[in-house]
Amino acid sequence: MKTKPRRLQRAVTLGVIALATVSLQSVAAQAAPHPDPNPSNRIVGGTRAEQGEFPFIVRLSMGCGGALYAKDIVLTAAHCVDGSDATGITVTGAVVDLESPDAIKVKSTKILVAPGYDGKGKDWALVKLEKPIDQPTLKIAKDPKYNEGEFDIAGWGADKEGGQQQRYLLKAKVPFVDDATCQKAYGDRLTPGEEICTGKLHVGGVDTCQGDSGGPMFRRDEAGEYVQVGIVSWGDGCARPESPGIYTEVSTFAGDIEKAASEL
């Protein structure tokens, strides 16, 4: 696997998937630009989410995460579903254990990729489901005031550098990294205004990774309710010092997302 190619998008194709929330002693997994299935039940340095803690988070069968924008619409990353068969995705929800008999599995019927998506910025998409998943939804940020502070991340992606996927949903918190600092790491690969950066900049150790693409980055609003601020998109490796994780800036595209969802 190459080290630091231009864009390391955080998707896999098969297997159960997990979040890289590794200890500071562990180096986190490199996000593969192409499918790299590594199924495993092992968790390294992560914190397991409780059943029902984040009921809006779902898993997509191609190896990505997502969030219930509506009970029958999933918000995910464009690079996860671009070119996919509109009826070929299975969405799993309602569980933290992907092997649970209580898992709800629903097929897709339509896919809408962000207009103008070309692999740089605009990394969002919607997946319409054949029937609703009866779980709470996650509202999206419509105001950039939520784009700073500390964020929650959760998913089933790889657990360490070159690592394996997870059966159980893991969670972590990551701090905001400003655009100027982030551009020192990524230069013109970053698209300010369309992407948000996070991470423990100087020490690394906590991040999303391959298999977490499309999953939500979220925080509490003034009312104490969760609001989605970002969508897991890409990064150089995972949890490396001086290499922040990159997320689609949801507030920038809130109007476009709402309009697209109304037309699905």
Side-chain angles (χ1 to χ4, degrees), residues 19-40:
L19 174 72
T21 52
V22 298
S23 67
L24 299 186
Q25 290 75 30
S26 299
V27 181
Q30 176 167 320
H34 298 294
D36 183 22
N38 291 289
S40 174

Side-chain angles (χ1 to χ4, degrees), residues 141-151 176 196 219-223 227 229 249 251:
K142 302 177 184 180
D143 190 313
K145 68 183 179 181
Y146 297 116
N147 289 356
E148 297 185 6
E150 186 176 59
F151 307 105
F176 170 74
I196 300 177
R219 53 164 287 180
R220 300 280 188 180
D221 63 11
E222 295 89 340
V227 58
V229 177
E249 188 172 312
S251 62

Side-chain angles (χ1 to χ4, degrees), residues 98-161:
L98 292 176
E99 297 183 17
S100 170
D102 298 322
I104 297 173
K105 296 181 182 293
V106 181
K107 298 288 290 185
S108 62
T109 59
K110 296 180 182 178
I111 297 170
L112 192 153
V113 173
Y117 172 70
D118 62 1
K120 188 177 189 297
K122 300 179 178 63
D123 194 10
W124 66 268
L126 297 173
V127 178
K128 178 76 170 180
L129 306 180
E130 65 179 359
K131 62 181 181 180
I133 293 178
D134 189 16
Q135 294 290 308
T137 59
L138 179 60
K139 62 184 179 181
I140 61 173
K142 302 177 184 180
D143 190 313
K145 68 183 179 181
Y146 297 116
N147 289 356
E148 297 185 6
E150 186 176 59
F151 307 105
D152 290 284
I153 49 177
W156 291 275
D159 64 344
K160 62 182 179 178
E161 188 93 17

Side-chain angles (χ1 to χ4, degrees), residues 125-232:
L126 297 173
V127 178
K128 178 76 170 180
L129 306 180
E130 65 179 359
K131 62 181 181 180
I133 293 178
D134 189 16
Q135 294 290 308
T137 59
L138 179 60
K139 62 184 179 181
I140 61 173
K142 302 177 184 180
D143 190 313
K145 68 183 179 181
Y146 297 116
N147 289 356
E148 297 185 6
E150 186 176 59
F151 307 105
D152 290 284
I153 49 177
W156 291 275
D159 64 344
K160 62 182 179 178
E161 188 93 17
Q164 298 177 333
Q165 313 304 304
Q166 298 292 296
R167 167 179 171 176
Y168 297 96
L169 185 71
L170 299 181
K171 63 180 181 178
K173 291 183 179 292
V174 288
F176 170 74
V177 175
D178 65 83
D179 286 347
T181 301
C182 197
Q183 282 187 301
K184 291 179 181 178
Y186 293 119
D188 63 4
R189 291 186 290 163
L190 183 70
T191 309
E194 295 188 7
E195 296 175 323
I196 300 177
C197 307
T198 73
K200 295 185 175 182
L201 190 64
H202 301 303
V203 296
V206 181
D207 197 4
T208 50
C209 205
Q210 70 225 44
D212 291 319
S213 279
M217 180 178 76
F218 50 101
R219 53 164 287 180
R220 300 280 188 180
D221 63 11
E222 295 89 340
E225 297 180 350
Y226 283 126
V227 58
Q228 183 170 357
V229 177
I231 301 169
V232 181

